Amino acid sequence: MRRTKECAAQTREAILDAAERVFFRQGVATTTLSQIACEASLTRGAIYWHFSGKLELVKAMQERACLPQEQFFQPDLFKTAEDPLDQLHRATADFLDFIPTDRRGKCVYTILFLRCEYVGEMQEALKRWREEDARFKQLVEDVFERAAEEGRLARYWIPSVAANVYVSALTGLVQEWLRSDESFDLPGDGRALLGSLFQGFANPCRLAQQAGNRNESAARSA
């Protein structure tokens, strides 16, 4: 019985691996289950044993890939952080460092961002993505709200607007990197973007105060 379950699990993984490869090469809409079966060296019947159709395959592919937002943007990290903007800055830099190392993630994100038309039944495939996107946006807005309350956010920023600018910049950067076939240094260019972005978010009075504190500390140490 254990061997049978192990074989079934291995077959399911082989189908998902094959689906990722074919979806990546030619997109979801033009891919057939027969092509996936051929890629996996299996029959269509084997695919239907594990998945009811293409939609279920796409959803399983999403579930198998860990969304980086879930790993690097945990709410508790920001609730306990002394400086929420600094924590968001550091978490985003770690996120950008991680993406190029995540082979499966890169493949799945490319499929979801660039190789899938979300019409008809495929609209259902957006459900988890939208739920995580909404959670992430709310977390970011909470960070900017707290930063505003603590006087860390520049007064000309409305927290909801700052959150939208941040999310749009981050999403656009990652999508362009994927669309251009990784033609630029995502961590390096991303850190440059983050530096400018968060400098613009920060309250200039607090930045000046922090700089003064550093200078005083350096003078005492000299």
Side-chain angles (χ1 to χ4, degrees):
M1 181 65 72
R2 178 183 298 176
R3 186 177 181 85
T4 300
K5 289 183 178 180
E6 289 176 353
C7 288
Q10 290 172 1
T11 300
R12 187 178 189 276
E13 289 297 298
I15 293 169
L16 287 172
D17 289 343
E20 285 181 5
R21 293 193 297 270
V22 182
F23 287 155
F24 184 86
R25 286 200 305 264
Q26 63 189 53
V28 174
T30 59
T31 295
T32 66
L33 294 184
S34 294
Q35 290 170 329
I36 294 172
C38 181
E39 180 78 16
S41 299
L42 296 167
T43 64
R44 282 188 60 181
I47 293 181
Y48 278 119
W49 178 263
H50 293 275
F51 304 98
S52 61
K54 194 190 299 186
L55 173 61
E56 191 173 344
L57 261 172
V58 172
K59 290 167 70 175
M61 179 189 69
Q62 285 180 290
E63 291 168 0
R64 193 171 66 155
C66 176
L67 295 177
Q69 297 97 308
E70 299 171 347
Q71 180 175 351
F72 292 98
F73 300 96
Q74 293 293 327
D76 289 345
L77 293 176
F78 297 93
K79 291 177 181 178
T80 59
E82 180 179 351
D83 185 338
L85 284 182
D86 182 63
Q87 178 63 38
L88 183 61
H89 190 164
R90 289 187 285 112
T92 309
D94 291 343
F95 164 74
L96 293 175
D97 286 342
F98 171 76
I99 290 178
T101 70
D102 183 12
R103 183 195 63 78
R104 169 161 291 151
K106 286 190 296 182
C107 177
V108 173
Y109 308 146
T110 300
I111 293 167
L112 296 176
F113 279 136
L114 306 172
R115 307 279 204 274
C116 188
E117 295 180 352
Y118 295 103
V119 295
E121 68 169 0
M122 282 301 153
Q123 292 184 52
E124 177 65 22
L126 277 175
K127 183 177 181 181
R128 182 191 176 206
W129 193 271
R130 284 173 171 163
E131 288 174 350
E132 180 55 31
D133 192 45
R135 186 200 70 83
F136 178 59
K137 287 181 178 178
Q138 186 59 60
L139 181 149
V140 171
E141 189 165 337
D142 290 344
V143 166
F144 282 105
E145 288 280 3
R146 180 184 158 194
E149 292 170 1
E150 296 176 355
R152 299 179 187 276
L153 185 67
R155 292 184 177 181
Y156 47 77
W157 281 109
I158 298 171
S160 60
V161 175
N164 284 335
V165 168
Y166 163 84
V167 171
S168 297
L170 180 60
T171 303
L173 181 69
V174 173
Q175 287 191 9
E176 179 59 23
W177 181 71
L178 293 171
R179 188 197 64 78
S180 66
D181 197 22
E182 305 176 28
S183 66
F184 60 89
D185 177 11
L186 179 64
D189 292 1
R191 285 178 182 272
L193 172 64
L194 290 177
S196 297
L197 198 60
F198 279 88
Q199 187 174 14
F201 288 143
N203 184 336
C205 295
R206 184 172 286 271
L207 287 177
Q209 182 182 5
Q210 290 173 344
N213 292 339
R214 286 195 296 269
N215 291 336
E216 289 179 10
S217 178
R220 287 195 297 268
S221 300

